């Protein structure tokens, strides 16, 4: 499964809007994360930076490997 699909599925499973996920990421990240960035990640228009993937794993309560391994 693609990273973009995992982000969308996990976000929805936790009840976050794109804006809500961006807000929660901004709280743990040194960079501000906008709703548009989350949308771009979910639609495959861009890939999050590695530090953002680490923060995504933290906020979405999954392992870093689970997000990156396409066989999971």
């Amino acid at each position: 499964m693609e990273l973009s699909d995992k982000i969308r599925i996990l976000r929805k499973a936790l009840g976050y809007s794109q804006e809500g996920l961006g807000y929660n990421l901004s709280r743990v990240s040194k960079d501000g994360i906008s709703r548009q960035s989350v949308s771009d990640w979910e639609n495959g228009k861009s890939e999050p930076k590695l530090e953002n993937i680490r923060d995504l794993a933290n906020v979405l309560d999954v392992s870093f490997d689970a997000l990156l391994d396409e066989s999971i």
Side-chain angles (χ1 to χ4, degrees):
M1 180 181 298
E2 299 279 331
L3 175 59
S4 57
D5 296 326
K6 289 179 187 181
I7 294 170
R8 182 176 44 262
I9 290 167
L10 291 166
R11 173 184 62 78
K12 288 182 176 185
L14 292 171
Y16 291 133
S17 64
Q18 289 177 338
E19 187 171 351
L21 179 57
Y23 173 78
N24 282 300
L25 285 169
S26 293
R27 291 181 21 190
V28 298
S29 173
K30 64 180 186 212
D31 301 324
I33 307 298
S34 68
R35 181 210 56 82
Q36 187 61 49
S37 292
V38 174
S39 176
D40 288 347
W41 297 341
E42 289 183 358
N43 291 311
K45 291 182 181 177
S46 67
E47 292 271 327
K49 295 186 278 186
L50 276 178
E51 59 263 15
N52 289 335
I53 295 173
R54 183 197 64 226
D55 295 336
L56 274 166
N58 183 26
V59 169
L60 297 173
D61 197 30
V62 296
S63 72
F64 184 83
D65 291 341
L67 286 177
L68 292 180
D69 188 344
E70 290 188 8
S71 67
I72 298 176

